[in-house]
Amino acid sequence: MASIHPDLENYIVENMKSEMVQLQQNAVQNHTATMLEIGTSLLSQTAEQTRKLTDVETQVLNQTSRLEIQLLENSLSTYKLEKQLLQQTHEILKIHEKNSLLEHRILEMEERHKEELDTLKEEKENLQSLVTRQSYIIQELEKQLNKATSNNSVLQKQQLELMDTVHTLITLFLLKNVKKEEEKPFRDCADVYQSGFNKSGVYTIYINNVSDPKKVFCNMEIAGGGWTVIQHREDGSLDFQKSWKEYKMGFGSPSGEHWLGNEFIFTITSQRQYSLRIELMDWEGNRAYSQYDRFHIGNEKQNYRLYLKGHSGTAGKQSSLILHGAEFSTKDADNDNCMCKCALMLTGGWWFDACGPSNLNGMFYTAGQNHGKLNGIKWHYFKGPSYSLRSTTMMIRPLDF
């Protein structure tokens, strides 16, 4: 076999190398183009997914914004309604205060005229009685003078016998009165105090027209003592959401929380003129009182209507009890001046008027939960309209004690 020429061999080798290089470059370029194409496709897919995610996120944000706007609008509407309600409540309270003042003035004028008429009538009756007695005495003296003129000795004897009889009658009368005084039952705690019992506690009294004796708590320490307690709250152990009959006859224990009973309060205050004192204490330990110079209530037919006069004390410059006279209401007897039923809304039995600024027979709330309670133990001009007090005591004493 003939050998290939060296130049030809070199030429062939060179050509093959250049072709190989060309082939390698083509292969690399093809691979690179393929990789670029794959990368472009991935980038397109990634961009599409990103766009979809952005659309979803935009929808979520839009929905959230709409919800937030609705919540804000609802909050503004609620605030406006609350503000309007507070303004209306304030206006109603101002109107009640004006009405109370006017009615109080009218009541004072009526009472003043009535007192003047009663005084004139009493003076007239006293004068008539005095004239009658004087006429009788003059007649008797004339008879005795005639007898003395005719028979002086007989008259002297009769005078001596008369004097003995008078002395005997006076002695018997004094002994009888002393015995009666010793056996005289206590009408109230003022009688108990004036009989020498000066320690606070439970005593038995006898009320006019009430056959059975009544146990009451007597406060012998506050403002000179002699007070008959008609209401007391101290620990919330007794439910004061009672019926008309229960408030009429009373409930609870005289030594603890209790209501004496409207019928007994009416009967006691019918015996003579009484004053009323109300002792209050808040949950911070502050004490205050309201006192009324005149206090009595009507009978059951008058729905135990409240009559007050002459307010003073430290529990507010203005009275939290309706001075012009409100009728008593309970959950089953609505006698207030409101379209609503105050005894059901505010709980307990009380002289509500048109719900009014006080209710000492409301719900008992403990410390920390006593704020913002419209149905609690309320005395508006001491602690405001929604503060529930810690303890209360209502007590009465004769005006001339």
Side-chain angles (χ1 to χ4, degrees):
M1 182 175 179
S3 63
I4 300 171
H5 192 272
D7 291 335
L8 182 59
E9 184 179 357
N10 288 334
Y11 175 76
I12 293 170
V13 169
E14 287 296 327
N15 283 337
M16 288 181 66
K17 280 183 180 180
S18 62
E19 287 179 1
M20 287 295 293
V21 169
Q22 189 66 37
L23 287 171
Q24 288 177 354
Q25 287 177 349
N26 290 337
V28 169
Q29 287 175 354
N30 289 337
H31 183 69
T32 301
T34 303
M35 291 300 290
L36 286 172
E37 186 179 349
I38 292 170
T40 302
S41 176
L42 286 173
L43 283 172
S44 298
Q45 292 176 6
T46 302
E48 182 65 22
Q49 292 297 324
T50 302
R51 186 185 62 77
K52 289 180 179 179
L53 285 172
T54 302
D55 291 342
V56 171
E57 183 179 358
T58 302
Q59 291 175 3
V60 170
L61 286 172
N62 289 338
Q63 187 66 22
T64 304
S65 298
R66 282 195 296 272
L67 289 172
E68 287 178 350
I69 289 168
Q70 288 176 358
L71 284 172
L72 183 59
E73 288 175 348
N74 289 337
S75 298
L76 288 172
S77 299
T78 303
Y79 172 75
K80 287 179 181 177
L81 288 172
E82 289 177 349
K83 187 175 180 182
Q84 290 174 358
L85 181 61
L86 285 173
Q87 287 175 344
Q88 291 297 325
T89 305
H90 180 67
E91 290 297 323
I92 290 169
L93 277 175
K94 287 203 299 189
I95 291 169
H96 284 323
E97 288 171 3
K98 289 179 180 177
N99 286 341
S100 298
L101 183 61
L102 289 173
E103 291 182 2
H104 173 63
R105 288 177 180 173
I106 292 169
L107 187 63
E108 282 184 338
M109 290 175 67
E110 289 176 351
E111 288 182 354
R112 189 161 59 248
H113 290 312
K114 185 181 177 183
E115 287 175 359
E116 290 174 357
L117 288 172
D118 290 343
T119 303
L120 290 172
K121 186 178 179 182
E122 187 178 354
E123 288 177 357
K124 181 182 177 183
E125 290 174 352
N126 289 337
L127 286 171
Q128 288 177 342
S129 176
L130 182 61
V131 168
T132 304
R133 284 200 305 272
Q134 292 294 337
S135 299
Y136 176 76
I137 291 169
I138 290 169
Q139 290 173 2
E140 289 296 314
L141 287 172
E142 286 176 349
K143 289 178 182 178
Q144 290 177 10
L145 183 60
N146 291 331
K147 287 181 181 180
T149 304
S150 61
N151 195 341
N152 192 38
S153 59
V154 173
L155 180 60
Q156 288 177 348
K157 186 179 178 181
Q158 288 177 348
Q159 285 177 337
L160 289 172
E161 290 176 354
L162 182 62
M163 289 293 292
D164 290 338
T165 304
V166 169
H167 282 304
T168 303
L169 288 172
I170 290 172
T171 303
L172 289 172
F173 179 75
L174 289 173
L175 287 171
K176 188 177 180 181
N177 276 357
V178 169
K179 188 176 180 182
K180 278 187 177 179
E181 192 67 33
E182 289 174 352
E183 296 175 352
K184 187 177 180 182
F186 302 132
R187 294 170 293 177
D188 51 31
C189 292
D191 284 353
V192 175
Y193 185 91
Q194 289 167 347
S195 297
F197 301 95
N198 55 8
K199 288 188 177 180
S200 296
V202 178
Y203 292 87
T204 301
I205 64 172
Y206 291 82
I207 305 169
N208 287 344
N209 303 322
V210 178
S211 57
D212 296 327
K214 184 74 174 174
K215 290 189 178 296
V216 296
F217 188 90
C218 296
N219 189 308
M220 304 302 193
E221 299 165 3
I222 292 176
W227 296 101
T228 304
V229 175
I230 63 174
Q231 184 260 22
H232 183 60
R233 308 288 300 275
E234 62 181 7
D235 55 17
S237 59
L238 183 62
D239 179 18
F240 274 69
Q241 180 70 326
K242 304 287 188 183
S243 66
W244 178 266
K245 185 177 179 181
E246 288 171 303
Y247 269 99
K248 173 183 176 179
M249 302 310 297
F251 51 86
S253 169
S255 59
E257 293 199 328
H258 74 285
W259 179 260
L260 184 63
N262 288 335
E263 192 63 27
F264 299 109
I265 297 171
F266 159 69
T267 309
I268 290 176
T269 56
S270 299
Q271 298 178 138
R272 44 183 170 169
Q273 291 185 339
Y274 281 83
S275 57
L276 169 70
R277 187 180 178 97
I278 299 174
E279 292 284 330
L280 309 167
M281 186 171 74
D282 63 18
W283 286 98
E284 290 70 45
N286 301 310
R287 294 180 181 272
Y289 75 93
S290 285
Q291 189 157 327
Y292 302 86
D293 296 335
R294 300 283 182 88
F295 162 78
H296 72 276
I297 64 174
N299 58 27
E300 186 173 14
K301 287 183 180 179
Q302 297 168 319
N303 294 322
Y304 301 115
R305 187 177 181 87
L306 177 66
Y307 296 93
L308 295 169
K309 185 178 179 182
H311 171 258
S312 61
T314 59
K317 293 181 180 179
Q318 193 166 340
S319 171
S320 291
L321 270 176
I322 304 300
L323 291 175
H324 61 76
E327 295 180 1
F328 201 83
S329 292
T330 60
K331 62 182 180 180
D332 58 344
D334 181 29
N335 299 313
D336 56 47
N337 292 322
C338 182
M339 295 296 290
C340 60
K341 293 186 178 181
C342 299
L344 287 175
M345 288 174 55
L346 305 180
T347 73
W350 195 248
W351 298 279
F352 285 110
D353 192 55
C355 293
S358 66
N359 177 17
L360 299 187
N361 292 333
M363 293 287 291
F364 186 95
Y365 289 99
T366 54
Q369 298 183 357
N370 62 304
H371 292 278
K373 299 295 188 293
L374 293 174
N375 63 345
I377 303 172
K378 179 174 67 173
W379 197 259
H380 177 87
Y381 293 106
F382 175 41
K383 297 297 290 186
S386 60
Y387 184 104
S388 185
L389 297 169
R390 180 176 183 176
S391 69
T392 68
T393 303
M394 298 176 67
M395 47 195 183
I396 57 174
R397 186 173 70 183
L399 186 62
D400 59 356
F401 180 78

